[in-house]
Amino acid sequence: MSNVESDAHQLTNGPGQSQDIYKASSVAEIRATLAHLSHRQAAVTARLDTLVASQKDLSRELGRLDLLRAHLGSQVVHARSVSNGMLSDAASTANRISGAVKRLDQEQHAVKATLEVVEQVAELKACVLGVHGSMGAPQDWETAAAYLNRAFKIPEDVVNGSFAEEVVPTAEVPDPPRVTLNAAAESLCGLFLREFEKAASEGDGSRVTRFFKLFPLIGRSDVGLEAYGRYVCGGVAARARFNLNAGAGASQRKEGLFYANALTKLFEHIAQIVDGHQPLVERHYGVGMVVRVIERLQMEADVQGGIVIDTWADERSVERKLTDVKSYAFSFLVQSFLPTQKHSAGTPRSNSPATRDASATRRSEDEGVDMKEVDSLLNETALMLGRWSLYTRFVATKSVPSDSEGISSTLLLPQYLANSNLQKKISNNLIEPFNIMTTFFFRRSVEKAFQLDESPSGLSLNPNKPLGANAPFITSAVDDVMYIVNQVVQRSLATSQRAVIASVIPTIGRVLGSDFVGMIQRKMRDESYPKAAIQGALPPEHVIIAFLVLINDLDVATDYIKRIVQQQVGVKAAAIQDGQNGSPASLTELFPFGHDSVFVENNLKGLESGFESKTSELINDAIQVMFQQVMKPRMRPVLAETFRDVDYLLSEKDVGEFDGQDGAEEGGQDDLVQQRFERGWMGFTRPIKRILTDQNYDRLITVTISYLSKALEKRIWSYYGRINELGAIRLERDVAGIVSAAVKGSRYGLRDAFVRCTQMTLILNMEDDEWEELIKSTPQEEQEAGIVWQLDANERQRVRAIVKDRA
């Protein structure tokens, strides 16, 4: 209806109607309006006919649906009648059968449970009678224990049930089964314990094993393990006393490793007991029960190990040595850093009055602390700590449950071991003194190395004079100190103690940074600073040599530290403890607990990086001093001599004359500049190169060439208006010759310092069309051409204008 209404509305207000029929003013307008209305009427009629036709089809389909619904209703009624008449009887029958089956299953289960209880009670009665009979005249303890073990497997509710209490008692055994079993177990436990202790006192190993196996059968595993613990602890104590008393003589106890060997034997004995008896314990007492024995053994280890450590501390006078070590003044190091009067540049005479008093003072200090005793004490302490580490690793491995293997590769220290008295005693009496004495030993060794320091002899800056020593040219203190560093690091790692590494490695870095590097810095500043005696002159030769040797000291020491750290950190797993003496062990093997190996590796790398940063800073400062005081003053006259009387305003006649002088004394005018420069350059760089290490010379030559490139660029700029096109060709050849001579025998990368100079000569010799193309090229085109310009556009214009004819 809405469509009809809209169509009717359009009849009067549609867009095709030009005006209202009532407003028509002529016959033509009336006819047009009527024609439009007739057209709209025909359209509405057609749509109404279509709607009526579709309603007829809809009515027909609705009728068909009514017929289908009636047919479906009759089918539903028929299905319900079939269900009620046929299936209901079958369902009720199935329900009755299912209920009968369930009742039958319940009765069968009850019968089985009853039979099981009857069998268990029969088994219980047999066990009670068997225990009573075996404990009688036959005294068959194994059989009695076996009967008790079978009885203990019967459920508690059956043993304590009224049926068992009614059936099991007999005239011979009138008590309830629980009372009989408990009494038998207590009696057998006491008997086994007495027999076990008797066999242990007599040293009868077979009888000890016999009765030890019977305790878990009678439900007394705790008693058996406790008795066994006492037995093995007695053996450990006796063996430890024997080992300690074996060295009752004073001479034996003064041997450097006596107490370390005593402690080692104690740990080895315990490890042998655990390893040998673990299968027996776990077979009869269950997996993991050996930990109970280990805990009991650890208590004895606390006692015996504590005795060894206390005796060692008293015998070695550790407290007195610690007092002496802590009170040592390090007079030589302290006085070396004091702002005293300047020492002479040369090496002081050994018997001079100026050093006699200081030598006497140092001798008195040396008498107070014997370095050999300290070193021996540290070796013995390190050995004891290393054995303790092996022991803890063994115990921790045995304490790991077998079912947890493979779950986590991180080994953890058991709590009973971490909280043991021996662990505390080792921490207080071994680790702490070791850290203190190691700090003293290392710093005193550094001091002694500088006291006995000797510079290499026979060094000269004259290239024609042979050197009287072998490279690298360093002082003796470097070799001495780095040997001690390696010794201290290896000894600290051998302890396998995280607390030792946490103290010693940072101490090494601190002493190296403050004392070792500080002493070299002081010598550079006060004794060997290359300063000219008079203005404009060069420093004395022996001062320059001493300064170069000190720079070498820093470089070689840094390389030593890197090799020492890499030797410890870079060990591969394939080389770990291959059975040969002295074979390397990885940090993971030395420090197996938790993340200790990562901690140690980070400390070693921190030592390397910290020392390298300090030496690199001082080396760079020293290289700058060498450049400013030695290289730069020599460079200026060399450059002046190189370009002396060289004219770049050339004519064709001049070029012809130069070409005809190839056999001249100078070797040819074309190579005159290169020959002059190379002669002067090699004259002051070759002597330095002979003494410096390769790394130091590379640092120095890099700084020098950087200055040379700037000076050469400045000279090229100075030829503004004093060079023509033919001179530009010669200038390019001269610059190339200087660059080739400067980098000869050095890194090829040093040529990069002269890029601006070579690009300037390239622009000077460009043809006009090439220059025009360069000016018009875009940055992208320049990049595609393969040239990275170090000169900007303005600088290129200025360089192009240097040639006189183009200015």
Side-chain angles (χ1 to χ4, degrees):
M1 294 300 294
S2 59
N3 291 334
V4 177
E5 290 176 356
S6 63
D7 291 337
H9 178 73
Q10 290 181 3
L11 288 176
T12 56
N13 300 312
Q17 187 176 3
S18 60
Q19 62 180 0
D20 193 352
I21 191 172
Y22 295 104
K23 296 180 181 181
S25 59
S26 64
V27 175
E29 291 179 356
I30 294 173
R31 289 178 178 175
T33 303
L34 289 176
H36 177 70
L37 291 175
S38 298
H39 176 72
R40 296 299 299 167
Q41 181 181 6
V44 171
T45 302
R47 295 186 61 183
L48 289 174
D49 292 341
T50 303
L51 181 61
V52 170
S54 63
Q55 287 179 347
K56 291 180 180 179
D57 294 338
L58 181 60
S59 299
R60 186 170 54 256
E61 292 297 329
L62 289 175
R64 291 179 59 190
L65 287 175
D66 289 338
L67 291 175
L68 291 173
R69 183 179 63 181
H71 181 68
L72 181 61
S74 62
Q75 294 295 331
V76 169
V77 172
H78 180 67
R80 287 176 180 173
S81 63
V82 170
S83 175
N84 294 330
M86 298 177 61
L87 298 181
S88 59
D89 295 339
S92 61
T93 302
N95 189 22
R96 289 195 304 272
I97 294 174
S98 175
V101 170
K102 287 181 180 180
R103 289 192 298 273
L104 183 60
D105 289 341
Q106 291 175 356
E107 292 175 359
Q108 185 178 8
H109 178 72
V111 170
K112 288 182 178 180
T114 303
L115 288 176
E116 185 177 358
V117 171
V118 171
E119 291 174 356
Q120 290 173 348
V121 171
E123 173 72 7
L124 178 61
K125 186 172 183 178
C127 291
V128 169
L129 295 177
V131 168
H132 181 73
S134 300
M135 293 178 63
Q139 293 188 348
D140 189 352
W141 312 126
E142 283 80 0
T143 304
Y147 277 123
L148 273 178
N149 186 43
R150 288 167 53 187
F152 288 149
K153 294 179 181 179
I154 299 174
E156 291 287 336
D157 54 347
V158 174
V159 176
N160 299 327
S162 58
F163 179 69
E165 292 181 354
E166 186 71 25
V167 174
V168 173
T170 62
E172 297 177 353
V173 187
D175 296 328
R178 171 57 61 193
V179 176
T180 303
L181 294 176
N182 289 339
E186 288 297 330
S187 176
L188 289 176
C189 180
L191 175 65
F192 294 164
L193 188 58
R194 289 191 300 273
E195 293 295 329
F196 179 89
E197 293 176 350
K198 181 180 179 182
S201 62
E202 295 175 355
D204 191 346
S206 60
R207 290 182 61 206
V208 167
T209 304
R210 174 195 174 190
F211 288 102
F212 176 65
K213 295 188 295 184
L214 298 179
F215 284 101
L217 297 180
I218 62 174
R220 298 297 187 269
S221 298
D222 293 341
V223 177
L225 291 174
E226 180 65 24
Y228 184 74
R230 289 196 303 270
Y231 164 65
V232 294
C233 287
V236 169
R239 179 73 67 85
R241 285 193 297 269
F242 173 78
N243 293 332
L244 201 57
N245 294 330
S251 59
Q252 293 182 353
R253 293 202 173 194
K254 287 183 179 180
E255 292 179 1
L257 301 178
F258 172 77
Y259 291 100
N261 290 333
L263 197 63
T264 301
K265 292 176 181 178
L266 171 64
F267 294 149
E268 287 179 349
H269 188 204
I270 294 176
Q272 290 172 358
I273 291 175
V274 174
D275 236 1
H277 294 201
Q278 181 180 8
L280 176 66
V281 174
E282 294 190 345
R283 182 167 61 250
H284 296 284
Y285 285 78
V287 177
M289 296 305 294
V290 73
V291 176
R292 297 281 300 277
V293 179
I294 297 176
E295 292 178 1
R296 185 65 180 84
L297 284 170
Q298 183 56 42
M299 296 173 63
E300 188 63 31
D302 293 346
V303 176
Q304 302 302 327
I307 293 174
V308 173
I309 293 175
D310 290 339
T311 309
W312 166 81
D314 294 338
E315 192 73 25
R316 300 287 189 258
S317 302
V318 175
E319 290 296 332
R320 182 180 60 80
K321 285 186 173 61
L322 287 176
T323 303
D324 295 341
V325 162
K326 292 177 181 178
S327 61
Y328 187 80
F330 297 99
S331 301
F332 178 80
L333 290 177
V334 173
Q335 292 174 4
S336 298
F337 289 101
L338 290 178
T340 57
Q341 61 181 2
K342 213 171 188 180
H343 298 285
S344 62
T347 304
R349 293 181 292 114
S350 59
N351 294 324
S352 63
T355 59
R356 196 171 298 157
D357 295 338
S359 299
T361 301
R362 288 193 293 270
R363 281 197 301 270
S364 65
E365 288 181 353
D366 292 343
E367 293 173 358
V369 180
D370 190 342
M371 288 290 289
K372 291 183 178 179
E373 290 185 3
V374 173
D375 186 43
S376 176
L377 198 60
L378 286 173
N379 286 332
E380 190 173 16
T381 307
L383 182 58
M384 287 192 286
L385 289 174
R387 295 297 183 263
W388 167 250
S389 176
L390 289 175
Y391 171 74
T392 55
R393 186 188 318 171
F394 170 80
V395 171
T397 304
K398 293 297 182 180
S399 300
V400 175
S402 58
D403 55 353
S404 65
E405 292 182 359
I407 298 176
S408 175
S409 59
T410 302
L411 190 63
L412 300 177
L413 190 66
Q415 283 298 319
Y416 66 84
L417 203 58
N419 299 328
S420 65
N421 293 328
L422 185 56
Q423 173 67 48
K424 298 174 183 177
K425 191 173 288 291
I426 284 177
S427 178
N428 296 330
N429 294 6
L430 292 182
I431 293 178
E432 185 176 350
F434 181 87
N435 292 340
I436 295 173
M437 286 190 287
T438 298
T439 301
F440 163 78
F441 177 80
F442 180 63
R443 195 177 184 204
R444 178 68 186 100
S445 299
V446 172
E447 182 183 53
K448 195 71 174 179
F450 280 106
Q451 284 180 270
L452 304 176
D453 192 17
E454 294 181 358
S455 298
S457 59
L459 300 183
S460 173
L461 293 179
N462 185 355
N464 298 322
K465 186 177 180 181
L467 298 174
N470 296 324
F473 304 107
I474 56 175
T475 62
S476 62
V478 175
D479 285 331
D480 295 341
V481 171
M482 291 303 129
Y483 172 79
I484 297 299
V485 169
N486 189 37
Q487 179 186 2
V488 170
V489 169
Q490 288 187 353
R491 184 158 55 194
S492 300
L493 292 175
T495 65
S496 299
Q497 298 296 319
R498 174 173 176 155
V500 170
I501 300 300
S503 173
V504 172
I505 300 302
T507 297
I508 293 175
R510 185 171 62 254
V511 173
L512 286 176
S514 61
D515 295 338
F516 179 78
V517 177
M519 285 291 291
I520 295 178
Q521 184 178 16
R522 184 198 62 78
K523 288 186 176 183
M524 285 181 169
R525 184 185 68 243
D526 299 339
E527 299 177 9
S528 306
Y529 190 82
K531 187 175 183 180
I534 59 176
Q535 185 69 24
L538 291 174
E541 179 180 354
H542 69 275
V543 176
I544 295 176
I545 292 175
F547 195 78
L548 294 176
V549 169
L550 291 175
I551 299 176
N552 287 346
D553 286 350
L554 295 171
D555 183 57
V556 173
T558 304
D559 184 61
Y560 269 132
I561 292 296
K562 288 182 178 179
R563 285 157 57 187
I564 290 171
V565 172
Q566 186 61 29
Q567 180 183 1
Q568 305 301 331
V569 175
V571 175
K572 301 301 181 183
I576 298 171
Q577 294 182 346
D578 55 5
Q580 300 176 0
N581 292 331
S583 60
S586 70
L587 294 179
T588 306
E589 285 291 317
L590 291 173
F591 299 88
F593 294 107
H595 301 287
D596 289 355
S597 60
V598 178
F599 172 80
V600 174
E601 182 177 352
N602 292 337
N603 269 268
L604 290 172
K605 291 181 178 178
L607 168 65
E608 176 186 349
S609 60
F611 182 73
E612 184 178 8
S613 65
K614 291 184 179 181
T615 55
S616 298
E617 182 180 356
L618 186 54
I619 288 174
N620 292 333
D621 293 342
I623 292 296
Q624 288 296 328
V625 171
M626 274 295 301
F627 169 72
Q628 294 293 339
Q629 299 295 329
V630 179
M631 308 298 284
K632 187 175 180 181
R634 296 288 297 274
M635 178 71 69
R636 292 170 179 170
V638 168
L639 283 177
E641 174 64 20
T642 299
F643 291 97
R644 176 175 56 83
D645 300 331
V646 177
D647 187 11
Y648 292 104
L649 289 173
L650 302 179
S651 62
E652 297 288 345
K653 181 180 178 181
D654 296 331
V655 174
E657 292 178 356
F658 293 153
D659 293 339
Q661 294 178 356
D662 290 343
E665 182 179 355
E666 290 287 349
Q669 290 293 326
D670 285 349
D671 299 331
L672 176 62
V673 171
Q674 179 179 354
Q675 291 174 1
R676 287 177 176 177
F677 176 79
E678 186 171 0
R679 185 166 52 249
W681 175 264
M682 297 301 292
F684 74 90
T685 58
R686 190 194 305 171
I688 303 297
K689 184 177 182 180
R690 289 204 313 166
I691 297 178
L692 282 178
T693 61
D694 293 340
Q695 295 86 349
N696 283 336
Y697 180 74
D698 184 71
R699 295 184 181 102
L700 179 60
I701 205 66
T702 300
V703 176
T704 306
I705 284 181
S706 177
Y707 170 78
L708 173 62
S709 66
K710 293 182 176 62
L712 189 60
E713 179 184 349
K714 185 177 180 182
R715 180 166 288 274
I716 295 175
W717 286 112
S718 69
Y719 285 118
Y720 186 84
R722 297 192 292 123
I723 184 173
N724 57 14
E725 293 185 355
L726 293 176
I729 296 174
R730 182 183 179 187
L731 177 62
E732 183 178 17
R733 185 166 59 246
D734 291 343
V735 170
I738 291 174
V739 172
S740 177
V743 301
K744 182 184 296 184
S746 301
R747 289 185 297 110
Y748 185 82
L750 293 175
R751 290 178 176 269
D752 295 341
F754 298 99
V755 170
R756 289 178 61 87
C757 297
T758 56
Q759 289 183 356
M760 291 173 72
T761 57
L762 176 64
I763 293 174
L764 289 175
N765 289 281
M766 276 185 176
E767 298 292 337
D768 291 339
D769 54 348
E770 293 177 342
W771 173 246
E772 292 296 330
E773 183 179 354
L774 176 62
I775 294 176
K776 296 178 181 179
S777 63
T778 62
Q780 183 177 0
E781 292 174 345
E782 294 178 0
Q783 186 176 4
E784 292 176 354
I787 299 179
V788 180
W789 288 98
Q790 300 294 324
L791 303 172
D792 58 30
N794 293 332
E795 289 176 330
R796 279 179 261 172
Q797 291 284 356
R798 291 172 55 202
V799 171
R800 186 68 176 174
I802 289 179
V803 179
K804 183 177 181 181
D805 297 338
R806 302 182 188 136

